[in-house]
Amino acid sequence: MESDWKHGCLPKCCCRNIENALEGPNGQVSFARGNKGFFAMAKQGHMDETLQTGLLTGKFCDLITDFKKKITVDGSGNAHIVIDNSEEPILAFIVGGPSTPSNTGVHSGTSNTNSSGTGSGTGSGTGSGIGTGIVSPTNGPVPKGFHRTIILFEGRTAPGQDLFIRGGIDEGHRQGCQHTAAASACAIPIKSHDLGSSDHFAKYNAWRQGDSYLDWYGAEPGQGDYHGQTPQGTPAVWTTNQPGKPGYNELNTYGEHFWLVDIEMDCDKTENGWFEVKAVINNNWESNVPGNSCHYGNVPYRSQNHWARCGMKNVLGQTKDFKIATIKTQGEYRDPHCDGKQVIVELFEWRFADIANECERFLGDKDFCGVQVSPVTEHVAIFDRPWYERYQPVSYKIESRSGNETEFKDMVNRCKNVGIRYMLS
């Protein structure tokens, strides 16, 4: 499971075997887990120090500030760490995650469409890397051949509106691209899946006939229509995460208005496993995706379209992208306690009453699985009251600086009522 950086905790790669731990003045603390990641916190919201990170030289982006802040680690492993925000007095970055990319590239074009549902181009931009801020398993081998690929796109449409996707590879980065999808080097072969036979899927089932490529140019020759309505690309179907409602799909664990594209895609035709995609709603392209060099370090080039991975579940949106994840269905293993959720929050040293408030105020409707809290039993009292005294119990009595047994039970019940489980360290 991943941890939530916004609540001051590290992903599982950095939660064990902590090294280079430093405690500074004014409630400052920093530590690294070997060569995996680095974390710093300043209780008063201010830090300006050169610290040993234990990492190899390179440039990284702060996960707490949504990648706006850049950190440089020099050849000796030192980095100048600055924290200047009392609201979020934390800085964190990881190896293999967001970084400032070193490649450069230029591509250009337009994102236009006309009344017949055709269009040309794929956006514009310069540089390398993109900016969507999603959680992404970007490492690992590139799949070969056809693999199931999921796109869930958050599109809040009006009744009667439909959402299509277009995509492939930018024509400025691959030779041999043309408007005929079957002959275009920028188009990617696909095979759509049968998602249902009820009236809810009528348009989708009509429009997916003859849709053999993900491309930039709307309807393919011979692609099916729905009562004379021409498709505007690869069709998506509206889904919800509410069982029993029309459009319910187990892949959607996020909410209503997520449009689903469920296809087999030829990963060999992608760019090292990556492809670009953009939504079209009622003949209108969505706006360009803002670029920011810190959001990804592994994509082939910068783009003002969404990046997605072949063989993965890609959760995208008009205002933000959510994540890229492995595809899990009812036939595969999933944590029986989390109902498909993938994130926990470590709220160490929080009071039970504050944890309960956080469950109700924020965590309950944000797709979190649970909270992990500090040990709850009565413990020794050590001079200066360090955090590790919590791990030296003297009885089974629930009594600590987080609260008493009554407050603990109240926290458990209040968090459980909004779907948040709890775990004790």
Side-chain angles (χ1 to χ4, degrees), residues 141-424:
V142 178
K144 299 296 183 182
F146 280 85
H147 283 268
R148 188 185 184 191
T149 302
I150 304 296
I151 297 172
L152 274 167
F153 193 95
E154 185 185 30
R156 296 191 174 271
T157 51
Q161 291 184 326
D162 298 291
L163 187 144
F164 300 82
I165 66 164
R166 300 183 192 176
I169 305 300
D170 188 294
E171 59 189 15
H173 288 271
R174 183 175 288 183
Q175 299 294 319
C177 301
Q178 53 182 285
H179 285 214
T180 303
S184 177
C186 289
I188 302 175
I190 60 172
K191 304 172 185 177
S192 63
H193 286 154
D194 184 357
L195 301 179
S197 58
S198 68
D199 290 344
H200 182 79
F201 301 96
K203 289 183 176 180
Y204 169 80
N205 285 331
W207 285 328
R208 77 183 185 92
Q209 302 301 319
D211 182 31
S212 302
Y213 295 88
L214 178 65
D215 64 275
W216 297 108
Y217 304 110
E220 298 174 31
Q223 187 173 346
D225 63 38
Y226 178 76
H227 298 315
Q229 296 181 41
T230 302
Q232 301 159 29
T234 293
V237 62
W238 187 94
T239 69
T240 177
N241 65 340
Q242 299 297 316
K245 286 189 175 182
Y248 169 72
N249 190 289
E250 65 164 350
L251 291 167
N252 179 359
T253 60
Y254 308 96
E256 296 190 341
H257 306 293
F258 278 83
W259 292 77
L260 172 65
V261 174
D262 188 347
I263 54 178
E264 298 292 323
M265 174 176 282
D266 187 353
C267 298
D268 293 339
K269 302 299 183 181
T270 63
E271 196 75 11
N272 199 33
W274 293 94
F275 62 96
E276 299 173 72
V277 68
K278 212 164 204 175
V280 176
I281 301 175
N282 279 33
N283 281 317
N284 294 312
W285 289 86
E286 65 167 308
S287 300
N288 285 340
V289 177
N292 184 311
S293 62
C294 277
H295 285 265
Y296 284 111
N298 298 323
V299 296
Y301 50 84
R302 180 172 178 173
S303 171
Q304 292 190 4
N305 307 307
H306 304 276
W307 278 109
R309 288 276 283 176
C310 188
M312 305 294 283
K313 176 182 175 181
N314 304 274
V315 188
L316 313 173
Q318 291 174 295
T319 58
K320 68 173 182 177
D321 287 351
F322 296 81
K323 68 178 180 180
I324 297 175
T326 55
I327 300 172
K328 293 184 180 294
T329 64
Q330 290 179 346
E332 301 174 13
Y333 172 78
R334 65 172 62 194
D335 189 323
H337 304 298
C338 285
D339 192 27
K341 300 174 183 177
Q342 297 294 315
V343 181
I344 65 169
V345 181
E346 294 171 350
L347 300 184
F348 285 2
E349 296 285 35
W350 283 45
R351 294 190 58 82
F352 298 142
D354 294 332
I355 295 173
N357 288 335
E358 189 73 352
C359 285
E360 295 173 338
R361 181 188 66 84
F362 181 80
L363 301 176
D365 63 350
K366 298 296 184 182
D367 207 29
F368 287 90
C369 169
V371 295
Q372 185 174 6
V373 302
S374 298
V376 301
T377 54
E378 185 181 17
H379 53 77
V380 300
I382 301 175
F383 179 72
D384 282 344
R385 308 305 301 271
W387 62 268
Y388 52 81
E389 73 176 17
R390 303 285 294 269
Y391 291 85
Q392 301 183 46
V394 297
S395 76
Y396 290 109
K397 182 181 179 181
I398 298 180
E399 183 74 47
S400 70
R401 58 173 172 257
S402 290
N404 56 34
E405 182 174 353
T406 299
E407 293 168 317
F408 176 71
K409 289 180 178 178
D410 180 65
M411 176 207 73
V412 171
N413 290 331
R414 288 167 64 185
C415 289
K416 183 179 179 181
N417 288 340
V418 293
I420 303 297
R421 301 181 63 85
Y422 69 93
M423 287 150 275
L424 301 180

Side-chain angles (χ1 to χ4, degrees), residues 98-148:
S99 62
T100 302
S102 58
N103 299 325
T104 59
V106 178
H107 81 289
S108 62
T110 58
S111 294
N112 300 320
T113 184
N114 56 35
S115 59
S116 64
T118 62
S120 63
T122 59
S124 62
T126 61
S128 171
I130 66 166
T132 50
I134 68 180
V135 179
S136 170
T138 58
N139 298 320
V142 178
K144 299 296 183 182
F146 280 85
H147 283 268
R148 188 185 184 191

Side-chain angles (χ1 to χ4, degrees), residues 49-121:
E49 304 284 346
T50 297
L51 302 176
Q52 173 57 236
T53 68
L55 306 180
L56 297 177
T57 182
K59 293 184 178 181
F60 303 87
C61 292
D62 177 29
L63 298 171
I64 305 301
T65 58
D66 289 334
F67 321 113
K68 296 182 178 67
K69 183 181 294 184
K70 298 180 178 66
I71 304 97
T72 299
V73 176
D74 64 22
S76 62
N78 289 325
H80 184 205
I81 304 299
V82 176
I83 296 175
D84 52 10
N85 185 346
S86 59
E87 296 296 321
E88 288 187 319
I90 304 165
L91 178 144
F93 54 92
I94 57 175
V95 174
S99 62
T100 302
S102 58
N103 299 325
T104 59
V106 178
H107 81 289
S108 62
T110 58
S111 294
N112 300 320
T113 184
N114 56 35
S115 59
S116 64
T118 62
S120 63

